[in-house]
């Protein structure tokens, strides 16, 4: 019996390809993630296997303005991230709910995803993601963090 899909939260990442929650690796495994912030600064931190990129930002209190305003409930697009093509191809497929929120994001690219829906795995260790210059929050339908273009 497959679970009913509703709004996702960041408590556990859903693996759309298998239709189940992934089994996490050793929680002590430290995976490296690099976030290129809006101002071009690279924030390098660690992640646990199975942890969403939103959870990584929150746990490490990374200074990314407005990131994750809805706390992973798929009610905004503030955790919009842009991936390199080769990394994007490794990610699980985009669910309809995520695509609906991505459609509202500023600076949408073919390799855009929401950080609350992308979970770290060993094969993603060392990945670099870019935070778009402009962010929108669908809950209030206004711009959250527009900064001058680089």
């Amino acid at each position: 019996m497959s679970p009913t899909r509703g709004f996702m939260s960041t408590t556990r990442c859903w693996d759309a390809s298998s239709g189940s929650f992934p089994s996490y690796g050793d929680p002590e495994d430290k995976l490296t993630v690099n976030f290129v912030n809006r101002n071009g600064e690279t924030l390098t931190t660690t992640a646990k296997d199975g942890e969403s990129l939103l959870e990584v930002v929150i746990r490490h209190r990374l200074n990314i303005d407005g990131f994750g305003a809805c706390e992973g409930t798929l009610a905004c697009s503030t955790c919009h991230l842009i991936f390199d093509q080769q990394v994007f191809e490794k990610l699980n497929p985009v669910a309809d709910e995520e695509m609906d929120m991505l459609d509202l994001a500023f600076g949408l690219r073919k390799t855009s995803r929401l950080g609350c829906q992308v979970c770290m795995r060993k094969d993603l260790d060392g990945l670099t993601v870019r935070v778009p210059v402009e962010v929108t929050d669908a809950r209030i339908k206004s711009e959250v963090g527009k900064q001058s273009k680089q």
Side-chain angles (χ1 to χ4, degrees):
M1 178 176 180
S2 87
T4 304
R5 289 284 319 251
F7 282 114
M8 297 293 292
S9 75
T10 59
T11 51
R12 296 197 64 203
C13 285
W14 176 262
D15 183 347
S17 63
S18 70
S20 65
F21 292 106
S23 57
Y24 297 158
D26 184 345
E28 297 306 311
D29 285 347
K30 299 292 183 199
L31 307 173
T32 301
V33 184
N34 303 290
F35 293 88
V36 179
N37 211 344
R38 293 180 183 96
N39 62 4
E41 174 189 19
T42 299
L43 307 170
T44 300
T45 192
T46 59
K48 297 175 186 174
D49 189 14
E51 187 174 38
S52 77
L53 293 177
L54 174 60
E55 289 173 312
V56 172
V57 170
I58 291 169
R59 185 168 56 86
H60 290 284
R61 295 183 175 103
L62 298 182
N63 188 20
I64 302 175
D65 186 41
F67 197 85
C70 77
E71 300 176 354
T73 60
L74 273 174
C76 73
S77 59
T78 59
C79 64
H80 173 205
L81 295 169
I82 301 169
F83 293 80
D84 291 334
Q85 183 65 43
Q86 47 287 36
V87 173
F88 183 81
E89 291 171 3
K90 293 180 183 180
L91 302 177
N92 293 330
V94 180
D96 291 340
E97 295 90 345
E98 180 181 359
M99 189 59 73
D100 290 344
M101 285 295 110
L102 282 170
D103 285 343
L104 302 173
F106 284 119
L108 189 64
R109 302 279 183 354
K110 290 180 182 180
T111 60
S112 290
R113 292 293 302 268
L114 296 180
C116 65
Q117 300 302 301
V118 176
C119 289
M120 284 301 296
R121 307 182 309 248
K122 288 183 182 182
D123 65 325
L124 298 176
D125 187 24
L127 85 100
T128 298
V129 295
R130 180 169 288 282
V131 179
V133 173
E134 299 169 337
V135 174
T136 187
D137 184 342
R139 297 171 308 154
I140 56 175
K141 298 189 187 252
S142 68
E143 217 168 314
V144 172
K146 185 174 182 179
Q147 298 177 0
S148 62
K149 299 222 185 258
Q150 303 167 13

